[in-house]
């Protein structure tokens, strides 16, 4: 009888050990995000575990952020890379929108977001300082300035409830040269 329980316990233990490696073999490749310095400018980059190629997502140019935030380009680079990394745990970021809009936390605040399901704010990446200018315009201008130029062809301008948002849809897998079929 004890041998029977020991055998069952060993089988369960073997499955528990195998499970983490099995979980890593999902159908969708995983993205990782990091902050690197490229040509002297902090840059948030995406890379797939299946490929050594990487793409620059944001180039944290000081002139684009001047007088808009008290955070340094380096701080924003690291913070946004970590937020995208965290977001990727729960969502497939292979086809992602980067959005310049506003949040209404009592006042309009220029906000840069990401979303995998549309052009609304799904994950706040960072906010800018409150401004006397139109917040959504400021946020849109910052996204235009920091988003890597080769990611900008899919620009959409939306107006929802009187608030204009600028959104860029980015197909990360295609840009990384991967042929991944989403289900």
């Amino acid at each position: 009888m004890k041998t029977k329980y020991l055998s069952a316990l060993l089988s369960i233990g073997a499955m528990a050990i195998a499970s983490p490696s099995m979980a890593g073999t999902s159908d969708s490749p995983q993205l990782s995000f990091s902050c690197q310095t490229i040509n002297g400018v902090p840059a948030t980059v995406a890379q797939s575990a299946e490929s050594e190629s990487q793409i620059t997502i944001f180039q944290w140019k000081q002139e684009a952020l001047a007088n808009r935030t008290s955070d340094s380009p380096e701080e924003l680079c690291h913070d946004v890379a970590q937020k995208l990394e965290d977001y990727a745990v729960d969502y497939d970021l292979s086809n992602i929108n980067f959005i310049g809009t506003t949040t209404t936390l009592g006042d309009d605040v220029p906000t840069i977001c990401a979303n995998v399901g549309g052009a609304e704010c799904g994950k706040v990446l960072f906010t800018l300082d409150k401004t006397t200018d139109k917040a959504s315009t400021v946020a849109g201008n910052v996204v235009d300035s920091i988003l890597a130029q080769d990611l900008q062809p899919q620009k959409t301008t939306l107006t929802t409830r009187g608030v204009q948002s600028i959104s860029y849809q980015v197909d990360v897998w295609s840009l990384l040269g991967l042929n991944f079929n989403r289900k």
Side-chain angles (χ1 to χ4, degrees):
M1 183 80 127
K2 288 182 182 178
T3 307
K4 182 178 175 182
Y5 289 121
L6 181 59
S7 176
L9 185 60
L10 289 173
S11 296
I12 291 170
M15 287 189 300
I17 291 170
S19 292
S21 62
M22 292 168 134
T25 62
S26 71
D27 288 342
S28 74
Q30 296 298 308
L31 285 176
S32 64
F33 297 88
S34 63
C35 181
Q36 300 178 15
T37 301
I38 300 173
N39 297 325
V41 176
T44 301
V45 298
Q47 183 171 353
S48 167
E50 287 75 19
S51 169
E52 290 188 24
S53 64
Q54 62 184 23
I55 58 168
T56 300
I57 304 290
F58 294 113
Q59 297 168 320
W60 300 95
K61 304 171 196 163
Q62 180 63 41
E63 62 274 9
L65 302 167
N67 303 318
R68 300 284 182 215
T69 179
S70 57
D71 295 324
S72 72
E74 292 81 8
E75 289 171 318
L76 287 169
C77 183
H78 287 286
D79 289 348
V80 168
Q82 185 60 56
K83 285 181 180 180
L84 288 170
E85 191 79 17
D86 294 344
Y87 199 35
V89 170
D90 296 321
Y91 298 96
D92 174 7
L93 302 187
S94 60
N95 199 346
I96 187 169
N97 288 304
F98 294 107
I99 307 156
T101 190
T102 64
T103 59
T104 51
L105 304 171
D107 294 317
D108 286 341
V109 177
T111 305
I112 312 306
C113 302
N115 195 349
V116 294
E120 294 182 12
C121 188
K123 172 78 170 175
V124 173
L125 298 178
F126 65 101
T127 58
L128 301 167
D129 294 340
K130 190 174 174 188
T131 178
T132 56
D133 299 329
K134 188 172 182 180
S136 60
T137 301
V138 170
N141 290 341
V142 169
V143 170
D144 286 342
S145 297
I146 65 171
L147 189 66
Q149 290 297 310
D150 55 340
L151 304 184
Q152 293 193 13
Q154 297 293 329
K155 180 178 181 176
T156 304
T157 303
L158 298 171
T159 303
T160 307
R161 287 175 255 148
V163 175
Q164 181 177 323
S165 299
I166 293 178
S167 174
Y168 292 96
Q169 185 175 6
V170 178
D171 183 348
V172 177
W173 294 142
S174 293
L175 293 168
L176 287 170
L178 299 173
N179 293 324
F180 171 66
N181 294 323
R182 286 181 278 287
K183 292 181 181 180

